[in-house]
């Protein structure tokens, strides 16, 4: 890497947009609202479409649905007001073919332009109209006789709209920004060897190609996002994200952590369990043990399908902290789930004389004061709870291991907040001298590619095996018309001593409306199944009522539980063997998979019925089909990624990886191994260059870098 380049640091001081003529405070503000604050942000605001104005298509050669540029003379103009104002302009070309341009919004001045005989050049997508083809709201220009009517030499970019900045202004501004692109050498950050190896253009060339493609550019590739110019940008962006995550990790690991290597207590716990660990559980616990024996903080994500037995692995890890005379905390996203952990841990740990404390929002008054005192004195060795664990005023004596369950519900910030409860940490937010090891658990498997990109700051383990004796859940999709049959199925299952869930979902997922639907379903089913004990849980119930209903179901005091998706996460009732999900077509794959995971937890053959409202959209059909075909969370996650895209799979909040400007993890997955390899090399050999790549692409989002 020549030194000279590092010295230029062009992108270290991004020029403010107000240097561009025509950008006043107002426009700058609108652009800033979309995150565009510098020339560089404009360079990276890439077209979403291209229009080919390099040729004129004869009217007779137009194809419905295919955008084209057309030229002709005005033959007739008609203004109508049938339902709303409409302007119809018929133009004809030299071959006596006619095309109608139709406008619903127009000004008087516009109408005046279309004198019969005037020459009009327009661009748009023709569709069949009342009399032959027509184009609604084409972009157009009336050509005067001395007009320069030369055709464009390049494809015209169409940019994603920005509220308050018209498309023409935006295009002009981007053009001006591109005119200020620095020369190739000062702009380029990627090592030449890498570009050559991948046959990718320089950044300058790539940007110019993407914004101003030559007429003969491979437009299909451009539209698909696979053009070398785009791949070049994608590579750099992925690299920037990777580097930023890796730096977070290094910063994290620069902290000291307690060395936890005594395993006698964990062995005692294991010996007392009523089951043997699966091979996968053993393996993952082994990985955790190795991490904990290091003086650096562990940062490990454990992915494991619903029911794969993550809790016991967490408990085993906690024993290493306890045996070292320190504390472990286990945080779950809902009170119900936290309470389930509490019960499990108490049952497992109290025989070992390990003191387990409980801290949730509803623990108040004197009870709270007492728990806080136990946590602060170290009397509480394992602390289980909800977000309440992270609140100000919760001070641990010596927290050595922070376990976060169902990571998707928590953001990076929250993880850091719990970490900051480590020894010597104050509530002032200072990073403590010793930080706790972190174990993050999720039942929503993340596809391999995504995990690679999203969790470069974490080590990832997978519990990819279910405990023995589980029988697969038979899944069927039925149209809602077959609902009555299901009542009989529930009756039959419950007559055998089994339990069933009926899950209500609606399009409108406001708590109130769904709660109402659940209430109605509850009343209906209670009447039809009068011999059964029916329970109800929904989001509008008080926490205590919800818990009472869940507990009654868990304890076998109710046979059928009518519920909204509040039962989604982690609840364990092995005797439940039938689940019916209403409006299943409305739910995403991850959620369906989570819900279905509530059954098939015991040894009885289980069934899941996905009720849907026909007609099914193509996407919904694929989702239901996937659910029918597989129960493997990893396969489902891959499919989900394919159907939904990474942005929706992991919100920005969770990982900061959504919101790529150009990369698409599904399309560009093949670049990831290369990104990793190059990333590692850059971090080692040219850390400053790595910094600049991160600053260019990730910018503000890198604020966790020092975390
Ligand atoms: P999840 O990974 O979804 O959090 P849990 O930890 O709740 O799963 O475990 C699901 C159930 O399986 C619990 O009842 C748990 O006690 C049980 N379990 C865990 N590991 C094993 C095992 N190796 N063999 C048998 N049952 C197990
Ligand atoms: Mg769990």
């Amino acid at each position: 890497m020549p030194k000279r380049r590092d010295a230029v640091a062009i992108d270290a001081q991004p020029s403010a947009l107000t240097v561009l003529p025509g950008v006043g405070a107002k426009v700058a503000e609108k652009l800033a609202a979309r995150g565009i604050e510098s020339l560089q942000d404009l360079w990276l605001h890439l077209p979403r479409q291209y229009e080919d104005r390099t040729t004129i298509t004869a009217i007779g050669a137009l194809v419905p649905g295919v955008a084209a540029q057309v030229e002709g003379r005005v033959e007739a103009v008609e203004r109508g007001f049938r339902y709303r104002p409409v302007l119809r302009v018929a133009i004809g070309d030299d071959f006596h073919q006619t095309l109608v341009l139709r406008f619903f919004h127009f000004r008087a001045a516009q109408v005046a332009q279309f004198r019969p005989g005037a020459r009009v050049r327009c661009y748009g997508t023709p569709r069949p109209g009342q009399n032959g083809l027509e184009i609604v709201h084409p972009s157009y220009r009336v050509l005067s006789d001395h007009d320069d009517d030369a055709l464009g030499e390049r494809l015209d970019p169409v940019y994603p709209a920005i509220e308050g900045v018209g498309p023409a202004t935006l295009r002009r501004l981007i053009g001006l920004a591109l005119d200020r692109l620095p020369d190739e050498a000062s702009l380029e950050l990627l090592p030449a060897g890498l570009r050559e190896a991948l046959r990718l253009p320089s950044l300058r060339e790539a940007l110019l190609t993407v914004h101003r493609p030559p007429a003969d550019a491979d437009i299909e590739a451009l539209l698909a996002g696979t053009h070398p110019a785009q791949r070049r940008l994608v590579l750099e962006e992925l690299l920037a994200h990777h580097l930023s995550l890796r730096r977070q990790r290094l910063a994290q690991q620069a902290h000291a952590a307690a060395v936890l290597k005594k395993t006698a207590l964990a062995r005692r716990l294991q010996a007392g369990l009523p089951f043997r660990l699966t091979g996968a559980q053993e393996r993952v616990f082994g990985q955790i043990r190795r991490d904990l024996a290091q003086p650096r903080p562990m940062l490990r994500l454990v992915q494991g399908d619903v029911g794969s037995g993550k809790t016991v692995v967490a408990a085993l890890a906690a024993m290493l902290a306890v045996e070292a005379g320190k504390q472990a905390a286990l945080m779950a996203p809902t009170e119900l789930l936290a309470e389930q952990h509490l019960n499990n841990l108490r049952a497992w740990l109290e025989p070992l004389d390990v003191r387990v404390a409980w801290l949730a929002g509803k623990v108040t008054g004197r009870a709270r004061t007492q728990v806080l005192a136990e946590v602060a004195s170290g009397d509480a060795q394992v602390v289980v709870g909800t977000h309440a664990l992270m609140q100000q005023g919760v001070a641990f004596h010596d927290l050595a291991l922070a376990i976060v369950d169902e990571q998707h519900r928590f953001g990076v910030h929250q993880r850091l907040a719990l970490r900051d409860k480590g020894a010597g940490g104050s509530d002032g937010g200072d990073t403590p001298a010793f930080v706790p090891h972190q174990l993050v658990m999720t039942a929503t498997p993340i596809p391999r590619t995504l995990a690679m990109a999203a969790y470069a700051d974490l080590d990832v383990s997978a519990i990819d095996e279910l405990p023995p004796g589980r029988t697969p859940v038979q899944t069927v999709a039925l149209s809602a018309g077959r609902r009555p049959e299901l009542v009989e199925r529930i009756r039959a299952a419950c007559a055998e001593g089994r339990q069933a869930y009926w899950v209500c979902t609606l399009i409108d997922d406001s708590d109130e409306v769904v709660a109402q639907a659940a209430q109605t379903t509850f009343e209906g089913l209670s009447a039809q199944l009068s011999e059964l004990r029916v329970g109800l849980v929904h989001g509008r119930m008080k926490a205590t009522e919800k818990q009472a209903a869940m507990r009654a179901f868990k304890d076998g005091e109710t046979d059928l539980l009518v519920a909204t998706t509040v039962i989604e996460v982690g609840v364990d009732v092995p005797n439940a063997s039938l689940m019916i999900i209403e409006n299943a077509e409305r739910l995403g794959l991850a959620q369906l998979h989570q819900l279905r995971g509530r059954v098939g937890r015991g040894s009885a053959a289980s069934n899941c019925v996905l009720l849907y409202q026909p007609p099914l959209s193509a996407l919904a059909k694929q989702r239901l089909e996937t659910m029918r075909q597989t129960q493997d969370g990893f396969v489902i996650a891959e499919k989900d990624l394919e159907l939904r895209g990474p942005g929706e799979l992991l919100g920005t909040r969770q990982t900061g990886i959504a919101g790529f400007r150009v990369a698409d993890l599904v399309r560009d997955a093949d670049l990831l191994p290369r990104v990793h390899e190059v990333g590692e090399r850059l971090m080692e050999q040219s850390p400053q260059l790595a910094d600049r790549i991160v600053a260019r692409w990730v910018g503000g989002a890198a604020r966790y870098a020092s975390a």
Side-chain angles (χ1 to χ4, degrees):
M1 208 53 39
K3 266 256 146 33
R4 181 178 57 82
R5 275 195 210 162
D6 277 277
V8 177
I10 252 198
D11 39 27
Q13 326 130 3
S15 315
L17 287 180
T18 38
V19 303
L20 296 179
V23 178
K26 233 184 174 153
V27 171
E29 198 180 301
K30 300 283 184 201
L31 291 170
R34 280 288 296 270
I36 300 182
E37 291 174 319
S38 64
L39 289 182
Q40 185 177 295
D41 293 332
L42 278 179
W43 301 334
L44 297 177
H45 192 70
L46 302 183
R48 62 172 175 78
Q49 256 291 2
Y50 295 93
E51 293 181 349
D52 184 356
R53 289 196 177 78
T54 61
T55 54
I56 303 266
T57 304
I59 293 174
L62 288 174
V63 178
V66 178
Q69 177 164 254
V70 180
E71 198 175 299
R73 291 194 182 268
V74 175
E75 291 179 343
V77 178
E78 183 188 302
R79 281 180 78 167
F81 287 96
R82 255 163 66 94
Y83 301 107
R84 49 178 175 162
V86 60
L87 172 67
R88 286 159 43 92
V89 178
I91 60 170
D93 67 9
D94 298 344
F95 307 100
H96 307 291
Q97 300 281 338
T98 311
L99 173 74
V100 173
L101 312 180
R102 188 197 283 268
F103 299 86
F104 296 109
H105 313 281
F106 49 91
R107 282 163 293 139
Q110 247 175 313
V111 183
Q113 281 183 306
F114 292 117
R115 292 167 280 100
R119 194 148 64 96
V120 179
R121 183 180 289 174
C122 65
Y123 184 94
T125 306
R127 315 233 172 251
Q130 283 154 359
N131 314 299
L133 288 179
E134 62 180 41
I135 300 183
V136 175
H137 283 268
S139 57
Y140 73 94
R141 196 153 65 97
V142 177
L143 303 171
S144 75
D145 284 331
H146 5 267
D147 241 353
D148 170 20
D149 56 4
L151 290 170
E153 284 176 12
R154 301 174 182 285
L155 304 178
D156 293 339
V158 181
Y159 292 102
I162 290 184
E163 204 186 306
V165 183
T169 307
L170 185 59
R171 195 149 46 205
R172 190 176 59 81
L173 294 181
I174 292 174
L176 289 170
L178 289 172
D179 293 342
R180 288 167 168 72
L181 264 181
D183 63 67
E184 197 155 301
S186 27
L187 192 62
E188 190 58 47
L189 294 178
L190 292 192
L194 172 67
R195 282 196 287 124
E196 277 153 27
L198 293 173
R199 304 218 173 107
L200 293 175
S202 70
L203 181 61
R204 186 183 154 85
E205 193 187 329
L207 285 171
L208 289 174
T209 306
V210 171
H211 285 282
R212 301 169 173 169
D216 63 352
D218 182 348
I219 186 149
E220 306 235 308
L222 278 170
L223 292 179
T226 55
H227 193 282
Q230 289 159 314
R231 300 264 294 170
R232 152 67 219 232
L233 299 175
V234 166
L235 180 81
E236 190 171 322
E237 179 169 41
L238 289 175
L239 188 59
H241 278 262
H242 179 78
L243 289 170
S244 140
L245 288 170
R246 293 291 296 158
R247 281 201 327 198
Q248 280 180 48
R249 185 192 165 87
L250 287 183
Q252 188 62 240
Q253 295 211 312
H255 297 293
V259 173
L260 311 175
K261 47 163 77 157
K262 293 197 198 134
T263 56
L265 197 54
R267 276 204 303 275
R268 277 176 59 206
L269 167 57
Q270 197 171 339
L273 291 173
F275 49 75
R276 286 177 54 138
L277 295 187
T278 61
Q281 284 170 317
E282 289 270 14
R283 171 166 44 79
V284 171
F285 179 48
Q287 291 163 343
I288 293 171
R289 255 189 342 252
R290 273 193 295 285
D291 289 350
L292 294 179
Q294 302 299 319
R296 293 184 301 279
M298 166 174 80
L299 276 167
R300 185 169 289 278
L301 174 74
V302 172
Q303 305 191 52
D305 225 332
V306 278
S308 61
K310 294 181 289 295
T311 319
V312 71
V313 173
L316 288 166
M319 291 309 92
L320 270 69
V322 171
E323 193 172 353
K326 298 174 186 297
Q327 293 169 296
L330 170 55
M331 181 170 75
T334 65
E335 206 149 294
L336 209 63
L337 196 54
E339 211 177 72
Q340 183 174 294
H341 285 325
L342 176 73
N343 295 336
N344 275 328
L345 291 187
R346 283 206 163 135
W348 288 331
L349 305 187
E350 278 175 356
L352 305 176
D353 289 326
V354 173
R355 291 178 304 278
V356 182
W358 166 241
L359 187 59
K362 71 170 180 197
V363 179
T364 54
R366 288 202 15 216
R368 186 177 181 84
T369 314
Q370 193 186 336
V371 177
L372 290 180
E374 288 168 15
V375 172
S377 70
D379 227 23
Q381 294 166 294
V382 177
V383 188
V384 180
T386 54
H387 303 72
L389 282 182
M390 296 180 304
Q391 280 158 4
Q392 298 243 328
V394 180
F396 285 82
H397 174 65
D398 191 356
L399 180 65
L401 172 62
I403 305 166
V404 180
D405 194 17
E406 302 301 344
Q407 119 95 6
H408 274 65
R409 304 283 173 120
F410 294 109
V412 174
H413 309 270
Q414 287 162 315
R415 246 173 45 211
L416 294 179
L418 190 56
R419 181 205 70 185
D420 290 347
K421 300 279 181 192
S426 67
D427 269 342
D430 296 338
T431 305
F434 267 88
V435 307
H437 297 281
Q438 290 181 61
L439 178 62
V440 178
M441 303 194 289
T442 177
T444 309
I446 296 145
R448 206 179 55 83
T449 52
L450 209 53
M452 242 173 151
Y455 296 119
D457 62 331
L458 297 171
D459 292 308
V460 181
S461 304
I463 304 187
D464 47 10
E465 180 186 351
L466 291 180
R470 306 261 165 96
T471 41
V473 180
Q474 285 287 338
T475 302
V476 291
L478 297 180
S479 91
R482 304 200 29 203
R483 200 169 186 263
E485 294 167 30
L486 295 173
V487 173
E488 291 316 311
R489 261 175 97 162
I490 295 173
R491 201 190 304 277
C494 294
E496 287 175 20
R498 302 266 152 230
Q499 289 166 285
Y501 291 100
W502 187 291
V503 184
C504 303
T505 71
L506 280 182
I507 316 167
D508 180 342
D509 48 32
S510 81
D511 271 2
E512 173 137 25
V513 180
V514 182
Q516 187 54 51
Q519 179 72 37
T520 309
T521 306
F522 167 73
E523 286 163 13
L525 289 171
S526 299
Q528 286 172 290
L529 295 162
S530 55
E531 77 277 26
L532 298 185
R533 297 159 302 172
V534 187
L536 173 66
V537 222
H538 60 65
R540 297 285 284 204
M541 288 164 60
K542 285 209 205 92
T544 47
E545 294 169 350
K546 254 192 306 206
Q547 264 153 49
M550 272 318 304
R551 179 158 310 112
F553 188 64
K554 203 168 168 162
D555 294 346
E557 288 160 15
T558 46
D559 307 296
L560 170 64
L561 184 64
V562 177
T564 59
T565 52
V566 296
I567 54 152
E568 184 188 341
V569 193
V571 179
D572 190 25
V573 183
N575 190 46
S577 66
L578 173 61
M579 170 171 284
I580 292 147
I581 305 177
E582 278 190 292
N583 300 310
E585 79 279 8
R586 305 272 174 210
L587 302 183
L589 274 173
Q591 204 177 13
L592 285 170
H593 179 63
Q594 283 286 326
L595 283 170
R596 182 174 58 181
R598 305 299 112 230
V599 292
R601 306 192 129 222
S603 51
S606 295
N607 292 281
C608 176
V609 179
L610 305 172
L611 274 183
Y612 62 85
Q613 295 289 343
L616 281 179
S617 71
L619 213 61
K621 205 175 270 174
Q622 282 200 56
R623 282 200 296 263
L624 298 187
E625 189 53 29
T626 305
M627 288 297 291
R628 272 190 352 89
Q629 282 170 357
T630 180
Q631 220 175 310
D632 182 329
F634 287 89
V635 173
I636 289 176
E638 293 285 352
K639 191 73 191 173
D640 207 18
L641 176 62
E642 186 189 315
L643 295 179
R644 287 204 291 171
E648 279 190 63
L649 218 60
L650 311 161
T652 327
R653 263 182 322 129
Q654 280 82 4
T655 58
I657 72 141
F660 282 119
R661 301 184 205 222
V662 290
D664 171 331
L665 289 177
V666 179
R667 183 191 64 203
D668 305 318
D670 64 309
L671 285 173
L672 287 169
R674 184 56 71 107
V675 163
H676 283 221
E677 186 189 304
V678 175
E680 298 309 304
R681 214 168 55 220
L682 279 181
M683 299 250 298
E684 237 172 60
Q685 295 169 4
S686 335
Q688 281 169 311
L689 196 58
D691 284 352
R692 288 177 58 202
I693 295 175
V694 173
R696 173 183 281 170
W697 288 88
V698 185
R703 63 185 166 279
Y704 305 119
S706 59

